[in-house]
Amino acid sequence: MTEILSVTPLRPELQAELEARFTVHRLDQAEDRDAFLGAKGAAVRGLVTDGGQKIDEAFLARLPALEFLSCASAGYDGIDIAELKRRGIRMGNVSPALEDDVADTAILLLMAARRDLPRAHHHVTSGAWAEGSYPLQHSFTGGRLGIAGMGRIGQAVARRAEGFGKEIGYLARSDKPGAPGRRFADLAELAAWADDLIVCLPGGEETRHMISAEVMAALGPEGILVNVGRGSVVDEAALIAALTEGRLGAAGLDVFANEPKPDPALVTLPNVTCYPHHASGTVEARGAMARMALDNVLAYFDGRPLPHEVTL
C-alpha cells in the first residue's frame, strides 16, 4: 500500500478513512520524531499536514520519495514552497472550503468597526446609556471598499460588499476576469482611494508588513482596516501608533503577529474589534476543510483531478 505521513491528523472518521486506504505513519504520535522519520520517511509518497507546521527543506529531505502534499488549511506559511517546486512535488489545499465563512467574518468585522460595536456594547453594559444616548455613527451601506488580495476569499468579500452598495477597488498583480471593481497596482493608492480596507493576503516574507505606516496614513483618520489574512502582513507597531494617535479610525482583526498572545497594547485599544483567528471556525467549514484535505490525497493517488491544487 502507498505510504502516507500524517503530521496533522484529520477528524477521527476521516483519519480512519485515510488509514483504511493507505499505510499511514502518525508523526503526531511519535515519541522521537527524528528517529521516526529515519525509520519511515524513505518510503513516504504522500504527506498530510497544515500550514502551521514547519515543513522546510531539511524536513522534506527526509522524504525522498514524496510526490504529494495535502495541506489541511488555506494558509501554508510554514511550508517551503520553493523546495516543493524544485522537487516537482504537487500540493493541494482547502481554501474553497472556508472562503464563505472567512468572507462573512470580514464583513462582520468591518460592520462592527464601522458602527463602533465594542464601545456601543460597553455603553449598554456599563450603565452609561442611562446618562445619554450613544453618539451617531456613519452608515455601513455605500462608500468605497478596498480589498488587498483578490483570490477566492477576496472575491467572496467583494460579492458580499456589492450587496451593501459598495464600490470595489482591489490590489492584484493583474486583472481578475469576472472580479468586480477597479484594479490598483499600488497598495497606498488603493488605501487613499478607499474608505475602508480589507486584507485577504497570505503570509510569508513577500507580504510581510505590506500594510505599513504609509498605507495606514493613506487610509486616514476615518478609515477602517480589517485583516482576515495573516498577522505578519500588518506592521503592528505602526498600527498601534496610528490607532492611538487618531491617524486611523479603527481596526477589525481576526489575525495577529503573535498568536495566541497578541500585543496587549493593540487588543485593549477601544477602537479595535478582535476575533481569535477564528474566521473559518464553524462546524461546517472545518468539516469541509478536513474532507477536502482527504479528497485531495485520494484524487492524487487515484490519478484524478484534485478538488483544489495550489499552483507552485
Side-chain angles (χ1 to χ4, degrees):
M1 294 177 71
T2 299
E3 299 192 29
I4 304 291
L5 182 67
S6 175
V7 178
T8 304
L10 303 174
R11 289 189 171 198
E13 68 277 13
L14 299 179
Q15 187 71 23
E17 189 175 339
L18 181 71
E19 293 176 6
R21 172 67 189 277
F22 304 99
T23 298
V24 178
H25 305 298
R26 296 284 301 270
L27 185 63
D28 60 298
Q29 295 179 343
E31 293 183 6
D32 185 333
R33 289 167 61 99
D34 188 65
F36 188 88
L37 286 172
K40 308 292 186 182
V44 165
R45 295 175 58 199
L47 174 64
V48 178
T49 186
D50 66 65
Q53 302 293 326
K54 186 178 181 181
I55 309 297
D56 58 11
E57 183 178 357
F59 185 96
L60 292 168
R62 309 296 299 274
L63 310 175
L66 186 65
E67 302 172 24
F68 181 71
L69 185 155
S70 180
C71 180
S73 60
Y76 39 87
D77 304 25
I79 299 172
D80 189 335
I81 298 301
E83 182 62 10
L84 295 187
K85 185 175 182 179
R86 187 189 72 79
R87 287 181 46 182
I89 298 168
R90 292 171 64 186
M91 182 172 84
N93 81 340
V94 298
S95 57
L98 52 81
E99 64 185 55
D100 284 330
D101 282 322
V102 175
D104 288 349
T105 301
I107 297 297
L108 168 73
L109 288 170
L110 181 59
M111 187 177 288
R114 175 55 66 199
R115 295 301 298 268
D116 206 20
L117 182 61
R119 283 185 284 198
H121 175 86
H122 180 71
H123 187 74
V124 176
T125 58
S126 68
W129 190 11
E131 300 172 11
S133 298
Y134 199 68
L136 295 178
Q137 303 299 307
H138 290 288
S139 175
F140 183 78
T141 297
R144 293 174 168 180
L145 176 65
I147 302 174
M150 204 59 162
R152 299 183 67 101
I153 292 172
Q155 292 183 48
V157 169
R159 291 193 297 270
R160 286 155 173 75
E162 284 191 305
F164 289 98
K166 293 188 179 296
E167 185 179 354
I168 306 298
Y170 64 90
L171 177 77
R173 292 174 178 170
S174 59
D175 288 329
K176 299 289 185 179
R182 169 186 171 190
R183 181 176 73 87
F184 288 76
D186 182 83
L187 187 51
E189 289 182 10
L190 173 63
W193 172 87
D195 299 310
D196 305 311
L197 180 66
I198 293 180
V199 179
C200 304
L201 294 167
E205 285 306 311
E206 187 177 356
T207 59
R208 182 174 177 78
H209 288 186
M210 276 186 66
I211 309 301
S212 62
E214 178 189 8
V215 171
M216 295 173 211
L219 196 53
E222 297 295 325
I224 293 170
L225 174 69
V226 169
N227 188 7
V228 292
R230 283 294 181 268
S232 60
V233 176
V234 174
D235 182 341
E236 277 197 0
L239 178 60
I240 292 167
L243 289 167
T244 302
E245 297 166 12
R247 291 181 284 104
L248 180 67
L253 306 172
D254 179 50
V255 289
F256 305 86
N258 186 31
E259 299 177 2
K261 296 182 178 180
D263 191 336
L266 174 63
V267 300
T268 57
L269 289 173
N271 50 348
V272 174
T273 303
C274 301
Y275 209 58
H277 200 155
H278 209 54
S280 67
T282 66
V283 172
E284 294 81 2
R286 294 295 170 86
M289 290 163 67
R291 180 74 250 178
M292 186 171 286
L294 174 60
D295 287 347
N296 278 330
V297 177
L298 296 174
Y300 176 81
F301 287 106
D302 284 344
R304 296 182 283 106
L306 272 61
H308 188 65
E309 183 168 5
V310 177
T311 302
L312 303 180

